[in-house]
Amino acid sequence: MDSLLPCRTNDPELWFAEHSAEVERAKTLCRECPLIDGCLAGALERREPWGVWGGEVFVDGTVVARKRGRGRPRKSETAAAGTPAAA
């Protein structure tokens, strides 16, 4: 059964990665997992503080659509959000 679980057959750090691309890879791997629903339910029940659980990203104990990288947002993200870019 462990061979079917992506979190057991890939680098566990992937599910707690800092980089958005790696987090998205973990989410993609989760979508193929037969335990995705139970994993998410357990993470919600335990109020997991961070990481990818059941194909969802947790940040500060809350499910978020995507993980924002550290530091300032890119100018393209700032413009998309409708806020003026810093000078």
Side-chain angles (χ1 to χ4, degrees), residues 10-31 50-53 55-57 66-69 74:
N10 290 278
D11 181 1
E13 294 296 317
L14 188 62
W15 278 260
F16 300 96
E18 289 292 327
H19 300 288
S20 297
E22 292 172 329
V23 170
E24 290 302 316
R25 173 145 168 73
K27 287 172 55 178
T28 298
L29 290 168
C30 283
R31 288 187 197 113
W50 63 294
V52 176
W53 297 90
E56 298 292 340
V57 180
R66 65 186 178 115
K67 184 173 180 177
R68 187 177 155 276
R74 288 185 228 142

Side-chain angles (χ1 to χ4, degrees), residues 7-84:
C7 60
R8 301 274 175 101
T9 57
N10 290 278
D11 181 1
E13 294 296 317
L14 188 62
W15 278 260
F16 300 96
E18 289 292 327
H19 300 288
S20 297
E22 292 172 329
V23 170
E24 290 302 316
R25 173 145 168 73
K27 287 172 55 178
T28 298
L29 290 168
C30 283
R31 288 187 197 113
E32 299 172 13
C33 181
L35 302 179
I36 188 169
D37 294 331
C39 180
L40 179 58
L44 290 167
E45 184 178 312
R46 290 186 307 275
R47 297 182 180 156
E48 287 292 342
W50 63 294
V52 176
W53 297 90
E56 298 292 340
V57 180
F58 285 71
V59 175
D60 295 326
T62 303
V63 174
V64 296
R66 65 186 178 115
K67 184 173 180 177
R68 187 177 155 276
R70 288 185 164 184
R72 295 177 66 182
R74 288 185 228 142
K75 287 183 180 181
S76 61
E77 288 180 24
T78 303
T83 57

